[in-house]
Amino acid sequence: MAPPHVALFPCSGMGSLTPFLRLAATLAARGCAVAVITLHPTVSAAESDYISSFFSLHPHIKRVEFQPQLSLEKSKFLNIDPFLMQVEAISNSLHLLDPILAALSPPLSAIISDFQVARSMCRFASNNSISAYVLATTSAIFFSILVLLPKINNGGIFQEIGHLQLPGLGPVPFSSIAPQLLDSNHFMSAILDSNIPCLSEVKGILFNSFSELESETIEALNSGRVIPDLAPVLALGPLNSFEEEKAPYNLLPWLDEQAPESVLYVSFGSRMALPMNQILELRDGLEKSGCKFLWVLKTNKVDKDDKEDVQTILGESFLERTKKQGVVIKGWVKQDQILAHPAIGGFLSHCGWNSVTEAARLGVPILAWPLNGDQKLNAEVVEKAGIGLWADWGWRGEVLVAGDDIAKKISELMTAAKVRVKANEVKAKVRLVRSESGGDLDVLLGSLIDQLKPQEK
Ligand code: UDP
């Protein structure tokens, strides 16, 4: 039988693109013919650079460009969030993709898409007798909340003071669910309402998660206790980077000079900028902690707009005082190469799900400072798994966290022996599971690839 021909369809932003490209590389390495649908233009420069680097490393993977039609007059996110504006545009343009996908040769045997476009992809799959899958780009626990949101918002879920009692999952504090998700007029509500029903029609829901982080949630989803009739859940994580992790990349000579596990890496992901007054408190906290640091500083959601230089933001005197203690970078870094560096001993992170899985895979303890979206639930996963500490400092901008408090928490993480041991255990376990031919993950990927093959007519 011919190998599967699989199209992968990520949505807007690095948070979605990253796991999709990693899965695409994994499937191609196992003999699948792979096509990746890429958005044109991308919102961030990071996305377009990442896509270029991916296709130059994988010339055998097909690139299918898709240009969603933006309707500026109708957009609810104009001047608010360019990434959400693009999701909106994608949702309104999906009909344009059908002929593009139908024209691929050889014909597709399966499509794996972001949840936000699942309904259209299910329809296309059913019309063309191929299989549809969803790749969830968040934690299994946040995904569970998403699929339960319509029920939560119409009072169909039991609530106690401050908590929701989720079927199959137990209590989740309201304070961990981003307020905009509990607003049924939010644009995401419409996306959820239209896509949730097809989660029982797809052949599977793939997660970049794994048992050391989320065994109970994955089990609960698979048992039908969270929502009945959910398609089978497959935990394929943590997905490997498709780039070389042993840096040929000019990784700061400064980092090479630092003692093992002595440096705190600080980054809030690809689209999260702290408010300016909070950036200044973080600056003070890093200095006061006395800990070595490598800080990737962002002041704007979209990288192309991030123009102010480090000196102007943080001040010459800070940079002068801390020139031996740390380095501040403005711009894109190869995070997985940094996390793999032996000098890195901690990660102050917003807990985007890719960042969590990268740190878990590479054994770097996390200081979780969640700010938005799925991040508090992801932070809870980190804390429960024992691979980090969670500083619950409210949603972005809700409170101004003082430099002194930040310094204390940083010291706590960098000296948390139990957390470091656990993080190293998880790293060792992941290595073992990944290297085992005939092991659980190998079998899971093998059976997925069998299912991606053309359906018998
Ligand atoms: N990332 C990176 N360099 C940066 C910032 C981010 O390589 O300077 C990568 C990071 O390794 C992760 C992705 O971008 O794979 C961000 O995804 P995540 O889910 O962590 O957070 P998001 O940016 O979606 O909030």
Side-chain angles (χ1 to χ4, degrees), residues 14-15 18 22 269-271 296 331-335 350 352-355 358:
M14 285 298 290
T18 303
R22 288 177 177 168
S270 65
R271 58 199 258 187
V296 184
W332 192 255
V333 297
K334 296 197 173 187
Q335 179 166 297
H350 71 314
W353 189 243
N354 293 297
S355 293
E358 286 158 16

Side-chain angles (χ1 to χ4, degrees), residues 9 14 188 393:
F9 186 12
M14 285 298 290
M188 271 315 283
W393 287 325

Side-chain angles (χ1 to χ4, degrees), residues 243-258:
E243 293 176 305
E244 184 58 63
E245 262 162 18
K246 289 214 180 62
Y249 170 68
N250 186 14
L251 254 191
L252 313 171
W254 176 84
L255 195 56
D256 296 338
E257 286 160 16
Q258 306 309 313

Side-chain angles (χ1 to χ4, degrees), residues 3-4 54 57 100 110-111 137 167 176 193 302 314 319 352 354 356 381 445:
F54 176 80
L57 287 168
I100 303 176
I111 182 147
T137 59
S176 289
D193 285 345
V302 180
L314 301 180
L319 294 174
N354 293 297
V356 169
V381 171
L445 275 168

